[in-house]
Amino acid sequence: MEAVSNSRIGSEAARIACRIRSATTVTVVSHIDADGISAASIASSALERAKIPHDVLFFKKLDEAAVDSLIKLSSEALVWLTDLGSSHSSRLAGEDFVITDHHHASESDFAVDGSSDQAFFLPFACRYHLNPHLFGYSGDRDISGSGLAFLVSLGMDAENEDLVKLAIIGAIGDMQDSDMRRLTGLNAEIAKFGAKRGRIERRYDLRLFGTQTRPIQRLIEYCSDPMIPGLTGDGPACDDFLRSLRIPLSSENGAPTRWCDLNSGERRRIITGLSRKILEGGGIEKDVERLMGEIYIFPEEEVGSPLREAREFATLLNSCGRNDMPELALEICKGDRRSALENAYSLLRTHRENISNAINFVRQMGVGTKGRVQHFHCADQVKDTIVGIIAGMLLGSGEIDPSKPVVGFAISKEEDGRFKIKASIRGSRHLVEMGLNLASAVKSAAESVSGVGGGHSVAAGATLPLGSEDRFLAALDAEISKQLA
Ligand code: C5P
Ligand code: C5P
Ligand code: ZN
């Protein structure tokens, strides 16, 4: 971490921290997903500790109208944008804006002096702009919005080191570990820093979702990355598989056995059994490797709580944020373990139901293909904030063609009451290695139909005028064909 503090991105974080410390009031503005919520709670805790009065506002996305409202706000408070803002940085100019964001932005948004490898900001651009792309890092893998907010919080006060947990939760929520099955780059430095201080435990373990909360047979049944032939999607087969390995499915008092309840011998038997199933079912060594990876445990939380492991924690935050309750998630990140947590658990149940209903809906309607892209339309049957999760799950499940990015559409109601089309687009690691950059493809395809869009290489989103879906798909197909040519 010392290396990070002494690097260019570290000194920029320290300079930004000074600006924030000099503010009399701050408005934190963030995104509604797990990374945005974690970033906002890092900012909010750091400000609280520095005794700087502040508000937190959450946005589903930043559009021109939202930027207008922030410009108005900036006459009264320093506006600190986390996990969003980079794509509007040329308008969020001057002394009254701070941006800590990892999204791709166009050259003009960054407004850097291209004649040098240093990030010299042009006078009209945001003066306090921390984005990994400006410092030679990847915003897809190396650091997330909450990692950046954490670097700034450390610059504000070294005591903020306990917020490191949230930096990891945000990175995992944005799936920044998915390429290498562990965090890398600046994220790895942050994780190491947290481990040294006993805040995080890094473990090489099964990488499936639900190791703390799901009965083990469900853990296996729902596993889609990798697919386990004969087990994924088949509950009774999972029960038989575990019985054949002499794994008790429940404890003496009848509680279902979870991964976190097993001893190391039992875990090893299951991992060996799963590997064998993959290979026997025609999988390759690479699929077996994806079973395992680095996972991040928070020793301060109870065993069996979704707050104990980063991926489950992130999902809990997403279930609040993507169901219009980001403030609830903020309270949990900041330490509330009472009513906020109870309410979040009930949202998590609703979230799971919504996802399962949405997947069934898309299965019924079917997924179409246009050239190099696949697409489905949820109309008003699925929340616009959930469509991206569905797109990602379908692509990862092998149910649809993994060699073509998938676009999910839904109708969204804008702040002004008008209806628009929300598009969520997901690609695969493999396609990104071959040249896919969804951030730029989606941005230009959206602009060609008078919409807006952006995001990351592997995951992007757009807001489009009603009725422009076909033209958007055609433009996106053309862009992606160019990238993959
Ligand atoms: O706005 P933000 O950057 O936080 O959103 C990133 C989105 O991209 C998240 O919803 C995350 O789940 C998604 N993603 C994905 N697959 C990846 C990386 C990110 O679906 N490999
Ligand atoms: O909403 P969804 O999870 O599909 O968003 C994927 C990525 O696309 C996120 O990083 C989000 O910030 C970005 N996005 C965007 N412009 C939009 C919608 C989403 O940049 N209009
Ligand atoms: Zn993010």
Side-chain angles (χ1 to χ4, degrees), residues 31 33-36 83-84 101-103 139 144-146 170 174 176 456:
H31 189 215
D33 74 353
D35 185 33
D83 196 32
L84 37 72
D101 183 17
H102 66 129
H103 287 87
S144 70
S146 42
D174 270 8
Q176 295 201 322
H456 306 284

Side-chain angles (χ1 to χ4, degrees), residues 31 33 35-36 83 102-103 140 173-176 178-179 318 322 388-389 392 426-427 429 456 458-460:
H31 189 215
D33 74 353
D35 185 33
D83 196 32
H102 66 129
H103 287 87
D140 301 344
D174 270 8
M175 302 189 189
Q176 295 201 322
S178 102
D179 285 16
N318 269 325
R322 295 193 179 270
I389 298 177
R426 297 294 187 264
R429 264 170 303 128
H456 306 284
V458 74

Side-chain angles (χ1 to χ4, degrees), residues 149-160:
F150 177 63
L151 295 186
V152 171
S153 78
L154 271 190
M156 289 171 69
D157 190 339
E159 300 270 297
N160 288 325

